[in-house]
Amino acid sequence: AQSVTQLDSHVSVSEGTPVLLRCNYSSSYSPSLFWYVQHPNKGLQLLLKYTSAATLVKGINGFEAEFKKSETSFHLTKPSAHMSDAAEYFCVVSDLGGAQKLVFGQGTRLTINP
Amino acid sequence: DAGVIQSPRHEVTEMGQEVTLRCKPISGHDYLFWYRQTMMRGLELLIYFNNNVPIDDSGMPEDRFSAKMPNASFSTLKIQPSEPRDSAVYFCASSSGGGKFDTQYFGPGTRLTVL
């Protein structure tokens, strides 16, 4: 079965500094990978997804992620954090078994310090 | 588009009571998913439908849980009888197409508390 590991349960950065949220995946095949964001008391919103077309994926709100097969990683980055980025972030892999059985990481809580 | 709609947003009930959660997917989407989010287990898929037909219910925790999709615009997740350990946030999501790159769109969730 496929799985994802988010290496940090909590990341804290200052406003205006870079953000790095780490994700490693396990997959026997070419995976599909996603990053979702969940703001407090809200549903999940797709930030970006890897579709095998390009290894560097750009998403909404200035986020991007790079697929590195050799490292089995899909880290999420943003050059400059904004207060509104404070949220929970989930790295997700699509399971092989049928349509879109998403497997979620445990999440990384991002805190932005003023 | 209004997005995925879930109701109620919050539900507080007592152990043993029946609970029904509702979901309206995005119009035109042919896949519907039910997830549960808890602190201990994170986000986990319970069941999903394609064209109103349940395809995989292997994530449903036990027989107390049931889900239906009587038509393309409505689905329910029922818990009977409810137990305190069912307390969680339940999300509904929908997507167009079953490809592994298709995006699932999530509703705001229903926060269930069983006392």
Side-chain angles (χ1 to χ4, degrees):
Chain A
Q2 301 188 84
S3 65
V4 289
T5 301
Q6 292 185 242
L7 300 173
D8 306 291
S9 59
H10 185 207
V11 170
S12 181
V13 301
S14 297
E15 189 175 20
T17 64
V19 174
L20 170 63
L21 305 183
R22 299 182 295 165
C23 172
N24 285 355
Y25 68 90
S26 172
S27 172
S28 300
Y29 301 88
S30 178
S32 54
L33 293 158
F34 308 78
W35 275 98
Y36 278 85
V37 60
Q38 183 180 26
H39 287 93
N41 300 314
K42 295 289 181 63
L44 287 89
Q45 180 184 21
L46 179 71
L47 277 178
L48 50 82
K49 62 182 178 182
Y50 168 68
T51 61
S52 76
T55 56
L56 183 62
V57 183
K58 294 188 182 299
I60 62 172
N61 301 333
F63 285 94
E64 63 181 37
E66 186 172 8
F67 174 74
K68 292 186 176 181
K69 185 176 181 179
S70 61
E71 300 177 8
T72 61
S73 68
F74 191 57
H75 302 334
L76 182 70
T77 60
K78 182 173 180 177
S80 177
H82 191 271
M83 294 299 291
S84 61
D85 295 329
E88 188 93 12
Y89 291 79
F90 294 93
C91 183
V92 185
V93 64
S94 181
D95 198 281
L96 287 174
Q100 283 212 298
K101 290 184 68 175
L102 299 183
V103 176
F104 284 77
Q106 285 298 92
T108 298
R109 182 177 301 274
L110 177 62
T111 300
I112 311 296
N113 302 309
Chain B
D1 198 317
V4 176
I5 299 172
Q6 292 187 247
S7 63
R9 293 294 309 276
H10 302 273
E11 177 79 38
V12 180
T13 190
E14 293 189 346
M15 182 174 61
Q17 297 297 306
E18 178 179 294
V19 175
T20 299
L21 311 181
R22 297 172 176 81
C23 175
K24 176 179 170 56
I26 293 173
S27 177
H29 282 188
D30 53 350
Y31 282 82
L32 184 139
F33 306 81
W34 282 100
Y35 291 88
R36 179 171 67 175
Q37 184 179 36
T38 62
M39 290 293 292
M40 291 298 295
R41 300 176 64 90
L43 268 155
E44 50 186 351
L45 177 67
L46 300 178
I47 185 173
Y48 77 90
F49 296 81
N50 175 216
N51 291 325
N52 313 336
V53 177
I55 302 301
D56 188 335
D57 65 354
S58 59
M60 296 285 264
E62 48 196 279
D63 292 345
R64 297 184 298 105
F65 286 70
S66 63
K68 294 181 179 180
M69 193 165 185
N71 57 62
S73 59
F74 184 66
S75 176
T76 60
L77 178 67
K78 186 176 293 186
I79 308 173
Q80 166 63 17
S82 58
E83 296 182 3
R85 60 191 167 125
D86 301 330
S87 297
V89 181
Y90 292 81
F91 288 102
C92 176
S94 70
S95 72
S96 175
K100 69 177 185 177
F101 299 133
D102 290 310
T103 299
Q104 290 186 22
Y105 295 86
F106 284 75
T110 294
R111 183 175 297 276
L112 173 64
T113 302
V114 183
L115 303 174

